[in-house]
Amino acid sequence: QDEAIRLLRQSSMFHACSESTLRKLAQDMSKEEFSKGQTILEQGWPQSRAFFIADGQIRRERVVNDQSHQVVDMFGNTEPDKFGNRKIAIGALHVLHEEPAFANAKAMSNGYMYSLPATVLKKHLESPQFSTEVVQSLAVEVRRQANQVRWLMRTPLLEQRPKKTNVIAVTIAASIESFYRSGLNAAMNARLSGHWGKLFPNMHIQCPARILYINGFKGLRQYMDYKVKPEEFSNPTAVRLGMSFAPGILMTPLSSVLEASNAGHMNPEPITTRWMRGISWRLVREVIFGLGLNQMSDYWEERIPQSIVQSEALRTAFGSMISGVLSGYLSHIPHNLSTLKLMTPSKTYMQHLESLVSQSESRIPTSFSPGTRKAMATFAAIAFPRAVLIRTAQIVGSFIILNGTINALKYAELPTSIPTAF
């Protein structure tokens, strides 16, 4: 009973109640054990009991617009917040009238908890003293949080869950984006090589390949989310990292075909040979692209304050824009090296990097010593790479077109959908 009293005192609903009040309530609570993987609550179901976690960890996830989000933090054995309290109570604010559960709650470890049925709470609320103390507890909690901004949805980057995605919607989005990407790719190649090619070369190859490529990124993410449960492995973080990297790795051959379609004016090799040029650095670029298109876009969309942007379409656009800027910048050196190798395969990667450094050296004042100029040029070539603005604009636009079109069409009555975990 003392343990139950201690847990009640840590909850927002009962923390200001007297010892005698808490003791009476604890007498009517029951102790229950749970095992790892057990579902404690299901979102939307009538909540007939509140739970107070004594040992073990519970994670809550709320499904919004067909996408699952982790809610706040772990419950149970966690570090105290800045007020000295642990998050131990689940469902206390929904139990009185047995309202639908706010989120799914799943055990992440073995443990035990104390349950408080709705009927018991209603019985105790008939006492004037008890009800007054509960009101006081909630009033204190409201005042304490009045000046805080509380974000409920805070899923870590590698734990982002995919939205429900329709294959036809992805295909339409990729078809539109393939022309945008091809035009800016031609501009970027011209900036790197000094020679302009066609804006939309080999679109009979590019468009179908791009459709397969984007469907691959979206479909592989959802398939792995459906089939693989990282928490069942000894190192969940490593599994999540592998799941995040896998689409980019597997889509690299298709990406190579797309790049080879844009480089015929510089590399006369047949496309069956040309597509292999620069593939190692292209793989690095595709991993970054995949993280940006999938997890990072969702990550930033989730963190845009509702007070600033409420429209789902605008939140998707802003999330894609932030992700595109980061992905475009981080992937630019791998992109430059893979593209230069594709256009001039006779040179090594180091020779191509040295040419980028030499181009940057012309921007460094001659008043510096040769060694200092070289170091500054190397830094400029890596930190402020050539054509970075074009590359960033390409990625930002691609992410907005793809994620925006897919989200806009997700409610359309289209016949084919990729399965998701929910």
Side-chain angles (χ1 to χ4, degrees), residues 77-122:
N77 293 342
T78 59
E79 292 296 321
D81 62 18
K82 65 181 182 180
F83 302 110
N85 296 325
R86 291 190 300 119
K87 298 176 177 67
I88 52 88
I90 296 180
L93 300 180
H94 291 75
V95 71
L96 183 60
H97 294 295
E98 300 187 39
E99 298 172 83
F102 177 75
N104 299 306
K106 183 178 180 181
M108 305 308 293
S109 67
N110 296 331
Y112 66 94
M113 59 191 175
Y114 290 86
S115 65
L116 174 64
T119 54
V120 170
L121 179 59
K122 290 176 183 177

Side-chain angles (χ1 to χ4, degrees), residues 351-391:
Q351 288 173 327
H352 284 303
L353 181 60
E354 288 174 354
S355 70
L356 292 174
V357 172
S358 297
Q359 290 172 356
S360 296
E361 198 167 354
S362 62
R363 295 180 284 172
I364 308 299
T366 56
S367 56
F368 292 102
S369 66
T372 302
R373 288 190 75 220
K374 184 74 171 180
M376 293 175 69
T378 302
F379 175 78
I382 295 173
F384 308 101
R386 195 175 184 85
V388 67
L389 293 180
I390 301 175
R391 169 70 179 169

